[in-house]
C-alpha cells in the first residue's frame, strides 16, 4: 500500500522564501522609517528650528515606551498569547499609526495650528520623569519635535514588536532547514534599509529644487503602508500553513518575573547585556548624526545644477549600483563553483568602487555614508559560518570593539585634518565607514550565538527579553546625549554644517573602550569556566 505524503507550504522552497521575503521587506521598510530624518538633520534645523538637543531628544524617544513603560516585555507577552500572525499585523498597524503622527508633526499643516499651540504650552514638565531626568520632552522643545516624538514612541513600540515577531516567523518556517541563511538574509535586507534611507530621504526633501522635509517623512509613511500589506499577506500564508499541518502556532515560554532573579545573578548574562548595550549604543545613535558629521568635516562642493551629478536620475542609478554591490557580494558566499564565487565577488567590488566614485562626484554626505551597511551585507555570512565551524566568538568581540574605537577616533581626529582636501577627506571617510560596517558585522555575528552558551537554556527566552530591554536603554539615552554634548561643544553655532563633533565622537569611542575591556573579561571568564565561546558551534 502506497503511503501518500502530504506536502505543506513549508516543504516548498519557493513558498518558504516567499514568506521570508514578506517579513524581510516589512523590516526593510521599518529600518528606512527609523532613520528617515537622520540624513536631513541640517534641514530640520533650518526649516523647523530643531537644534541638536531637540533632534537628539526626538530620536531617542523611539524606544522610550519600550524602556520606561516596559512595552518590550508586553510585546513578548502579546506574541506568546496571540501568535505570530496576529502580532505581525498588529505591529505593522502600530508602526503605521506612529509614522502618520510623525508625518503630521513635521508637515506645514501642523505649523500655526491649535495642536502646535497646545504642544508649545504643554508637556514642558512631566512629573517623576523630569525628577529622574528621563523625560522625552523639555521646556523650550519645539512643538513639532514634541509631537513627532509622540509618534516616534508609538512607531518604536510597533518596530520592536515586529522585530521579535519576524524572528519567530523565520523559526516557524525554516526550522530544520536553512534557518541560519534565512536569518542572515533577513538581516542583510533590513540593513540595506539604512542605505536606502540615506539616499532617498534627502532626494525627496530636495526634489524639484524646493526643500520640504514633509516629503521625506511621507515617503516613509508610504513604505509603512507597504510593510502592513506585507504582514497581511504573510498572515494568510501562515494561516494556510497551520491549516495544512494542523499544528497550533509555536510559542515560547512567557516572560516570568520569577526568572529575573536567576538571570540577574548570572555573570554571563551581565557580560553579554553590557557588551550589547555598549556596542549598539555606539552604532545606532551614531547613524542618526553621521550624515551631519560628514557635512561638518568634509569639503563638499555642490555640482552645477544643470549637470548629470545634480539630476534626480543619478540617485536612481547610484541606488541600482548599490543593490548590485549587495546582491552580488551576498550571493558570492553561497557559490560552490570557484569561478562563480570569485566572479560575483569581483562584480561586487567593481560596483562598490563605481558607487564610491559616484558619491564623490555627487559631493553628497548622504550617499557617502550610505556605503555603511554594504560591507556588512558582504561579510555577515562569512563571519557567521566562521563562528559555526571555527569558533573564536570572544576574540571576534574584542576585534570588533577595537575596530569600533579606531573608527570613531578617526572621525574625531583624523577626518578633520583633511578639511579642505576634497579627495583625501572623502577617501578617509569611505574607508572608515566601510570598516565600521565590518565591525557592525563582527560583533553581532559573535554576540548573539554566544548567549545560549552563557545562560541556562531554561531561562534563555527571558534573558533575551531583558537583554533587549537593556539595549533599548542605550538606544534611548545616547541620541539624547549626543545632541546635548553637541550643543554644549558648539555654543553660538547656528550653521548646522559647522559643528565640531569631536567630543560626541570621543564619547562614542569611550563606549568602544568599555566594550573592549568587557570583551577581554569575557575571554578570561570563558577560559576559567570552560564556557566554550572560542569553540565552534558545529562540532
Amino acid at each position: 500500500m502506497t503511503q501518500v505524503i502530504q506536502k505543506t507550504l513549508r516543504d516548498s522552497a519557493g513558498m518558504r522564501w516567499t514568506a521570508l521575503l514578506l517579513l524581510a521587506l516589512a523590516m526593510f521598510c521599518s529600518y528606512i522609517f527609523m532613520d528617515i530624518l537622520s540624513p536631513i538633520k541640517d534641514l530640520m534645523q533650518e526649516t523647523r528650528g530643531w537644534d541638536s538637543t531637540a533632534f537628539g531628544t526626538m530620536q531617542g524617544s523611539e524606544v522610550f515606551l519600550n524602556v520606561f513603560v516596559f512595552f518590550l516585555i508586553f510585546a513578548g507577552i502579546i506574541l506568546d498569547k496571540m501568535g505570530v500572525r496576529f502580532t505581525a499585523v498588529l505591529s505593522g498597524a502600530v508602526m503605521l499609526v506612529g509614522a502618520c503622527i510623525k508625518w503630521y508633526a513635521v508637515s506645514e499643516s501642523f505649523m500655526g495650528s491649535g495642536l502646535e499651540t497646545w504642544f508649545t504650552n504643554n508637556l514642558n514638565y512631566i512629573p517623576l520623569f523630569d525628577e529622574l531626568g528621563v523625560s522625552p520632552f523639555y521646556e523650550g522643545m519645539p512643538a513639532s519635535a514634541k509631537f513627532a516624538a509622540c509618534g516616534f514612541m508609538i512607531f518604536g513600540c510597533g518596530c520592536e514588536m515586529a522585530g521579535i515577531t519576524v524572528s519567530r516567523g523565520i523559526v516557524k518556517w525554516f526550522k530544520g532547514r536553512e534557518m541560519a541563511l534565512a536569518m542572515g538574509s533577513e538581516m542583510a535586507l533590513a540593513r540595506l534599509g539604512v542605505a536606502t534611507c540615506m539616499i532617498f530621504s534627502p532626494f525627496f526633501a530636495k526634489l524639484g529644487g524646493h526643500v520640504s522635509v514633509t516629503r521625506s517623512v511621507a515617503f516613509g509613511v508610504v513604505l509603512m503602508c507597504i510593510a502592513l500589506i506585507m504582514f497581511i499577506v504573510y498572515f494568510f500564508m501562515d494561516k494556510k500553513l497551520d491549516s495544512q499541518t494542523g499544528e497550533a502556532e509555536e510559542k515560547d515560554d512567557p516572560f516570568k518575573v520569577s526568572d529575573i532573579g536567576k538571570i540577574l545573578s548570572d555573570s554571563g548574562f551581565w557580560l553579554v547585556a553590557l557588551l550589547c548595550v555598549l556596542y549598539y549604543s555606539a552604532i545606532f545613535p551614531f547613524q542618526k548624526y553621521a550624515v551631519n558629521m560628514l557635512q561638518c568635516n568634509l569639503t563638499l562642493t555642490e555640482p552645477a545644477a544643470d549637470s548629470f551629478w545634480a539630476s534626480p536620475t543619478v540617485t536612481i542609478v547610484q541606488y541600482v549600483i548599490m543593490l548590485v554591490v549587495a546582491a552580488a557580494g551576498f550571493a558570492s558566499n553561497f557559490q560552490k563553483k570557484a569561478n562563480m564565487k570569485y566572479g560575483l565577488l569581483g562584480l561586487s567590488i567593481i560596483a562598490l568602487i563605481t558607487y564610491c566614485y559616484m558619491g564623490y562626484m555627487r559631493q553628497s554626505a548622504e550617499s557617502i555614508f550610505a556605503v555603511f551597511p554594504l560591507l556588512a551585507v558582504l561579510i555577515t555570512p562569512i563571519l557567521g559560518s566562521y563562528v559555526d565551524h571555527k569558533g573564536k566568538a570572544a576574540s571576534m568581540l574584542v576585534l570588533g570593539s577595537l575596530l569600533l574605537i579606531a573608527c570613531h577616533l578617526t572621525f574625531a581626529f583624523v577626518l578633520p585634518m583633511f578639511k579642505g582636501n576634497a579627495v583625501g577627506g572623502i577617501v578617509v571617510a569611505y574607508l572608515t565607514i566601510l570598516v565600521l560596517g565590518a565591525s557592525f558585522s563582527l560583533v553581532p555575528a559573535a554576540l548573539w550565538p554566544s548567549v545560549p552558551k552563557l545562560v541556562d537554556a531554561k531561562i534563555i527566552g527571558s534573558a533575551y527579553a531583558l537583554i533587549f530591554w537593556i539595549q533599548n536603554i542605550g538606544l534611548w539615552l545616547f541620541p539624547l546625549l549626543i545632541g546635548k554634548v553637541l550643543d554644549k561643544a558648539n555654543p553660538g553655532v547656528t550653521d548646522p554644517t559647522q559643528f565640531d563633533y569631536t567630543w560626541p565622537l570621543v564619547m562614542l569611542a569611550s563606549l568602544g573602550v568599555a566594550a573592549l575591556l568587557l570583551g577581554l573579561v569575557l575571554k578570561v571568564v570563558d577560559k576559567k569556566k570552560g564556557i566554550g565561546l572560542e569553540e565552534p558551534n558545529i562540532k
Side-chain angles (χ1 to χ4, degrees):
M1 188 174 182
T2 305
Q3 184 178 3
V4 178
I5 300 174
Q6 181 68 40
K7 286 195 172 185
T8 67
L9 292 177
R10 189 163 46 200
D11 296 316
S12 165
M15 297 309 292
R16 278 199 310 276
W17 286 93
T18 298
L20 176 74
L21 185 62
L22 291 170
L23 295 173
L25 281 175
M27 293 310 296
F28 170 80
C29 293
S30 72
Y31 266 55
I32 293 175
F33 191 85
M34 193 184 302
D35 278 319
I36 199 71
L37 295 182
S38 300
I40 54 172
K41 175 182 179 293
D42 57 326
L43 300 181
M44 295 309 299
Q45 181 162 342
E46 292 171 3
T47 63
R48 296 296 183 270
W50 294 14
D51 61 13
S52 295
T53 300
F55 183 83
T57 304
M58 192 285 303
Q59 293 283 37
S61 68
E62 179 198 351
V63 295
F64 180 83
L65 294 178
N66 289 326
V67 172
F68 296 106
V69 189
F70 304 103
F71 186 82
L72 183 58
I73 294 172
F74 295 144
I77 294 171
I78 293 170
L79 178 58
D80 177 68
K81 296 298 182 186
M82 304 303 295
V84 173
R85 289 193 297 273
F86 173 85
T87 313
V89 175
L90 177 63
S91 65
V94 171
M95 285 194 291
L96 179 58
V97 169
C100 289
I101 293 173
K102 187 172 179 179
W103 165 76
Y104 181 69
V106 302
S107 70
E108 284 77 9
S109 301
F110 180 76
M111 299 168 68
S113 67
L115 197 57
E116 182 185 37
T117 303
W118 189 91
F119 271 92
T120 300
N121 298 329
N122 293 277
L123 298 181
N124 293 313
Y125 170 75
I126 312 295
L128 184 61
F129 288 111
D130 266 281
E131 278 73 16
L132 294 173
V134 297
S135 176
F137 315 110
Y138 61 87
E139 189 168 1
M141 185 176 181
S144 57
K146 287 182 187 175
F147 195 34
C150 294
F152 212 25
M153 288 179 203
I154 296 171
F155 169 84
C157 291
C159 189
E160 203 67 46
M161 189 190 299
I164 58 176
T165 304
V166 165
S167 296
R168 187 77 54 81
I170 293 173
V171 170
K172 180 174 183 177
W173 282 79
F174 285 86
K175 192 172 183 178
R177 296 174 174 85
E178 54 283 82
M179 193 193 306
L181 176 59
M183 286 191 168
S185 301
E186 186 273 327
M187 184 185 295
L189 182 56
R191 285 180 176 174
L192 275 179
V194 178
T196 304
C197 170
M198 295 300 160
I199 287 181
F200 282 105
S201 179
F203 171 78
F204 284 109
K206 300 173 183 176
L207 192 63
H210 170 66
V211 173
S212 172
V213 296
T214 310
R215 283 196 297 260
S216 294
V217 186
F219 164 64
V221 171
V222 171
L223 290 176
M224 295 322 302
C225 291
I226 294 173
L228 179 57
I229 293 170
M230 296 296 105
F231 280 138
I232 291 172
V233 175
Y234 173 81
F235 178 97
F236 289 105
M237 281 191 68
D238 197 77
K239 189 174 183 181
K240 177 68 173 177
L241 174 65
D242 279 353
S243 69
Q244 291 178 332
T245 61
E247 300 172 354
E249 289 197 79
E250 292 186 25
K251 301 172 183 178
D252 284 347
D253 291 334
F255 183 90
K256 298 176 183 176
V257 176
S258 60
D259 290 339
I260 294 178
K262 297 177 187 177
I263 296 167
L264 297 183
S265 62
D266 191 308
S267 60
F269 163 80
W270 280 110
L271 287 170
V272 170
L274 291 174
L275 268 169
C276 176
V277 72
L278 289 168
Y279 186 79
Y280 282 98
S281 294
I283 291 287
F284 287 115
F286 170 71
Q287 286 178 189
K288 301 180 185 302
Y289 291 87
V291 170
N292 187 233
M293 183 275 295
L294 292 176
Q295 291 169 338
C296 296
N297 285 300
L298 295 176
T299 301
L300 301 173
T301 305
E302 285 193 22
D306 58 348
S307 71
F308 168 72
W309 302 110
S311 68
T313 305
V314 72
T315 303
I316 308 300
V317 172
Q318 195 177 19
Y319 187 65
V320 170
I321 292 173
M322 175 194 290
L323 295 180
V324 173
V325 175
F330 189 78
S332 70
N333 290 290
F334 307 101
Q335 302 302 316
K336 294 182 179 179
K337 295 182 178 178
N339 59 339
M340 281 295 293
K341 179 182 181 70
Y342 293 111
L344 285 170
L345 187 59
L347 174 62
S348 179
I349 292 171
I350 292 170
L352 178 60
I353 294 170
T354 304
Y355 175 90
C356 290
Y357 171 75
M358 293 184 74
Y360 166 72
M361 292 302 294
R362 290 185 66 191
Q363 295 286 289
S364 163
E366 301 91 345
S367 62
I368 290 171
F369 185 71
V371 301
F372 173 64
L374 295 186
L375 195 58
V377 171
L378 173 62
I379 68 174
T380 295
I382 300 173
L383 296 173
S385 177
Y386 188 87
V387 172
D388 279 341
H389 294 91
K390 302 292 184 181
K392 305 296 182 185
S395 298
M396 276 195 182
L397 291 171
V398 170
L399 177 58
S401 299
L402 283 169
L403 292 177
L404 181 68
I405 297 165
C407 289
H408 282 313
L409 291 180
T410 299
F411 284 134
F413 298 109
V414 179
L415 188 60
M417 294 169 59
F418 287 85
K419 185 79 171 177
N421 185 333
V423 178
I426 290 178
V427 169
V428 171
Y430 271 135
L431 292 175
T432 310
I433 292 165
L434 286 169
V435 171
L436 189 64
S439 171
F440 191 33
S441 290
L442 266 172
V443 174
L447 185 68
W448 297 117
S450 300
V451 176
K453 296 179 180 179
L454 289 161
V455 180
D456 189 334
K458 293 180 181 178
I459 56 173
I460 189 70
S462 300
Y464 269 123
L466 272 177
I467 288 173
F468 283 130
W469 180 73
I470 293 171
Q471 175 187 318
N472 271 239
I473 294 175
L475 299 185
W476 159 76
L477 178 62
F478 280 93
L480 186 154
L481 280 182
I482 294 171
K484 286 183 177 293
V485 171
L486 197 57
D487 276 339
K488 291 288 185 183
N490 296 274
V493 178
T494 56
D495 185 345
T497 63
Q498 297 300 317
F499 290 132
D500 180 355
Y501 267 85
T502 303
W503 287 112
L505 290 166
V506 168
M507 179 178 69
L508 295 175
S510 68
L511 294 178
V513 172
L516 172 62
L517 294 175
L518 280 177
L520 293 172
V521 170
L522 190 59
K523 287 196 71 170
V524 172
V525 171
D526 176 52
K527 193 171 182 180
K528 277 187 177 180
K529 295 188 175 181
I531 298 171
L533 295 181
E534 295 287 86
E535 296 176 7
N537 294 328
I538 299 174
K539 300 179 181 179

